[in-house]
Amino acid sequence: MLKKIFSTMFSFSLVFSGIFTVSILDPEETEASSYNNLAGRPFMGWSSWSSIRKKPTEKNIKAAADIIAEKFRSHGYEYVNLDDYYQLDWTTNVDKYGRWVVDPKKFPNGMKAVGDYINKKGLKFGLYVTLGIPKGAIDQNTPIEGTPYHAKDIVDFSKGQKVSFNYDNMYSIDFSKPGAQEYIDSWARLFASYGVDYLKIDGVRNQDIPDIEAWAKALKKTGRPIHVELSNNLDIKNISTWQQLSNGWRTDHDVEAYGTPTHTNWEKVSRRFGDVAEWQPHAGAGGWNDLDSLNVANGSKDGLTADEKRSYVSLWAIAASHFVIGSDLTKLDNYGLSLLTNDEIIGVNQSGVAGKRLSKTSTSQVFFQELPDGSYNIGLFNTGLTPQNISVKWNVLGFKGSAMVHDLWSHEDLGNKDSGFTASLSTHASQMIHVVPVNALTVSPASGETEVNPSRVTLNWDAQSSVDSYLVQVAKDPAMTKIVFDQSVTSNSANIRDLSLDTHYYWKVSSVADGTEHQIGIYSFHTTKTSVPTAPDWILANKNKNDSVSITWNPTAGATSYTIYRKKVDILGLDSYKPIARNLITPNYVDKTAEDGVNYSYIVSAKNDIGESEQSNEVQADNHQPTVQLITLLIGFLFFVIFTTIFRIRRDKSKSNTVEVLLNKTA
């Protein structure tokens, strides 16, 4: 019975939108830096740099927005970031106020048209800038908008050029001079007019703090919430400044493997293990460590093995780094898509907790997140060149006794483990698990429970010692802003009446002692469903060495079970789908009845008490059987054509000889 309860909690602990693990949200910590209220969690989106580089256009940025909206928005991705090379050479080309000019060939309708397009899709628009003032503005001595000052009034040639990663000729600004702040203000207003929601400021060094302060002031004045990201390879000694003036900061150089045919490589990725450990204490709501982009969905172009790609995403997730897709969105492969849209892994990334390093050897590392509800997310990584076992002991985490273990990638419950867990990992592979100590706080309804009667809901939690009262809040959103119940109680339970049907609710309970409030945890439940679930997505079918086929998919909100259908794939397409497994509780299944040498196609549906969802897209097991069948058919057809041709030639020759004989006889 206990295992079933934990299984239900694991399988349905995602927010209804499929983005966050409910029990780890902490809305009271979402206030960000001093000038905005952004980055309560690491941002999720896409950046143009890794794949498009120097060739962004209005067309390909809009196309990227279309794909983010279609394939990724439901998983929490929302930013579409245009990273550099949208402007003309600022050495000679600036606008009338000395700011960069958008390249009209690349963006014929202007940048506002791009921003409007992205924003109308419910997404956020990101743009790029470097520090300083362009040489073109100085040479033309352009006026500073809204002031009597000009470019030459604020430039500081004594400090030389700013660091730039494309063109040179951005010069330092003396912010003690009148007009300097106003110049940055005008640029911030320009970006706000484009509909910019995110600004990457590049080339930031310690000596550039006055520039960042000026940009922080300017962006605040626009009245538009704009996420500020600082790059590149910032100095950890000034972390308090970066925290005050931005929502994120790059901890290292670019992850891209420049000068090679691939986007990145394991050497570039693995150097981030040290960054995660060093920068971890400084990440939190309002400002997060930025490990750079995720390049995992363009097949061999990524330069990584399948295990390395999973470890790449796992490290970014446990570190709570920004989740920024770098892949070419028009050439996504299914494996990469499954990595980027696994909602349980996204839940780790969006937990609000930056993972700490638990242990390190020359060939392995273990990181963990300790969550507010007493559970843990743990990442075990084999960084060595040979397969090995990597373990974690519960007493090292600080608790005794047994714990339930859940695999976050496969969505599979691994059972109760007495004193720890051991992962058998191949080279550069990893495993991500969620661990719930048996003595952890228990609540009712269980977090993620479905089919809760909305007419009367009783919330229960473990009583806490030495408390005066409990504060209980119920809301319709994970940020706890749409409050429907707010009450103080003296016992460890609360009754709520007349909630809505088919609605996902989130509830938070805090203890109050001597006037001080301490959050116990945040949980969720879903009231009685009145509609069927949506179809499962990102189905993967992988053929195992023993000829079985492992099928996995993303959990579907509101589903109580899943059904798998299978058919044989052949050239004639005569077979039809038939169910091979019903009433599956977890989103994974191993088809052990697959025949050797036969290719199969699978689809999955989700069910609840109302009915069955539409069927998922079909997916085939990864083998080459269709190709073999096609080649066999083509060879057979070729022999048929050759045989028919020879037969016709002989027949025609025979007829010709017969006619010739008849003519000779007639003559």
Side-chain angles (χ1 to χ4, degrees), residues 120-134:
K120 286 178 181 178
K121 286 185 169 289
L123 303 172
K124 295 181 179 180
F125 176 36
L127 207 56
Y128 170 99
V129 73
T130 58
L131 300 174
I133 184 168

Side-chain angles (χ1 to χ4, degrees), residues 216-345:
K217 294 176 185 177
L219 293 167
K220 183 177 180 180
K221 291 176 185 177
T222 67
R224 185 177 181 86
I226 298 177
H227 177 114
V228 178
E229 197 74 11
L230 304 181
S231 183
N232 174 297
N233 191 28
L234 273 74
D235 187 347
I236 196 171
K237 294 178 182 178
N238 284 319
I239 184 59
S240 61
T241 300
W242 314 138
Q243 289 172 323
Q244 293 169 11
L245 302 175
S246 72
N247 302 113
W249 40 84
R250 283 278 299 280
T251 63
D252 210 323
H253 294 292
D254 292 359
V255 76
E256 287 82 10
Y258 300 123
T260 73
T262 61
H263 287 152
T264 187
N265 55 45
W266 180 246
E267 180 183 0
K268 291 285 187 177
V269 172
S270 61
R271 65 181 288 165
R272 264 64 180 177
F273 283 100
D275 296 337
V276 173
E278 182 180 14
W279 287 78
Q280 179 276 329
H282 309 298
W288 301 93
N289 299 322
D290 185 349
L291 302 182
D292 207 6
S293 58
L294 290 164
N295 299 294
V296 297
N298 286 155
S300 60
K301 182 68 175 177
D302 297 322
L304 300 164
T305 66
D307 283 337
E308 288 170 345
K309 291 181 183 183
R310 180 174 283 191
S311 295
Y312 187 173
V313 178
S314 296
L315 181 63
W316 264 237
I318 201 79
S321 170
H322 298 306
F323 248 38
V324 191
I325 303 169
S327 304
D328 183 344
L329 297 179
T330 65
K331 299 177 181 178
L332 297 173
D333 63 79
N334 286 334
Y335 179 69
L337 278 170
S338 73
L339 297 179
L340 295 168
T341 59
N342 185 306
D343 289 325
E344 292 195 66
I345 297 299

Side-chain angles (χ1 to χ4, degrees), residues 200 215 330 341 402 471 486 548:
K200 174 181 175 179
W215 272 104
T330 65
T341 59
S402 62
L471 176 63
D486 189 345
S548 65

